Amino acid sequence: MTASDRDNELIDAAIAVRERAYAPYSKFHVGAAIRDEVGRLHIGANVENAAYPQGQCAEASAIGAMIAAGGRRITEIAVAGGGDGLCTPCGGCRQRIREFAATDLRIHICGPEGHRESFAFGSLLPQSFGPDNLD
Ligand code: THU
């Protein structure tokens, strides 16, 4: 994937909202940005809690914002974390994304400095369980 194939507005939004994360315990700030089926952008950051298990990932925050705005499909997503590694979504967030995404969804992983690597969502959650299973 070349730079021109990427949605740079989406990537910039994930990096920007990462700055507003509430992560006083882990100090690991994460931002997520979603493009929905009508092209709107939705953002979210991780929100930690003194009762640690009550913390919420950035992806969950962004999905909540999309749903609140009326969006129902994720057409592209960017996640921005810190550190040297790739901040790919945790297992729980892969399943959360799955609810609203096709296997060919592009997921862009970023750091504070910019884009790092992109994946097809299906490669991150192969043979997944989703809404179709309940038909
Ligand atoms: N985190 C996310 O927000 N998204 C991910 O995909 C990975 C982890 C958050 C959860 C917690 O607030 C912090 O990063 C450290 O795990």
Side-chain angles (χ1 to χ4, degrees):
M1 169 175 267
T2 66
S4 60
D5 292 329
R6 291 195 294 267
D7 184 337
N8 288 319
E9 186 188 15
L10 190 74
I11 287 168
D12 290 348
I15 293 170
V17 71
R18 176 180 173 273
E19 298 290 324
R20 299 202 286 274
Y22 178 75
Y25 307 109
S26 73
K27 315 251 191 276
F28 191 80
H29 292 212
V30 185
I34 288 171
R35 188 74 73 186
D36 74 14
E37 72 274 23
V38 292
R40 291 175 300 191
L41 198 62
H42 308 282
I43 57 173
N46 54 333
V47 185
E48 296 185 346
N49 193 283
Y52 293 175
Q54 302 306 323
Q56 174 161 299
C57 286
E59 296 89 329
S61 298
I63 289 170
M66 180 188 80
I67 293 300
R72 288 295 182 271
R73 297 297 296 165
I74 302 174
T75 61
E76 198 161 353
I77 183 168
V79 180
D84 293 334
L86 289 176
C87 185
T88 47
C90 74
C93 284
R94 292 177 198 208
Q95 187 65 36
R96 289 188 180 94
I97 294 166
R98 169 68 180 86
E99 187 73 13
F100 307 104
T103 52
D104 64 350
L105 171 77
R106 298 300 302 177
I107 174 159
H108 307 293
I109 307 303
C110 311
E113 78 293 347
H115 174 262
R116 292 184 177 175
E117 201 165 329
S118 296
F119 300 89
F121 179 66
S123 71
L124 298 182
L125 195 68
Q127 305 301 331
S128 63
F129 184 90
D132 295 350
N133 288 89
L134 301 181
D135 285 346

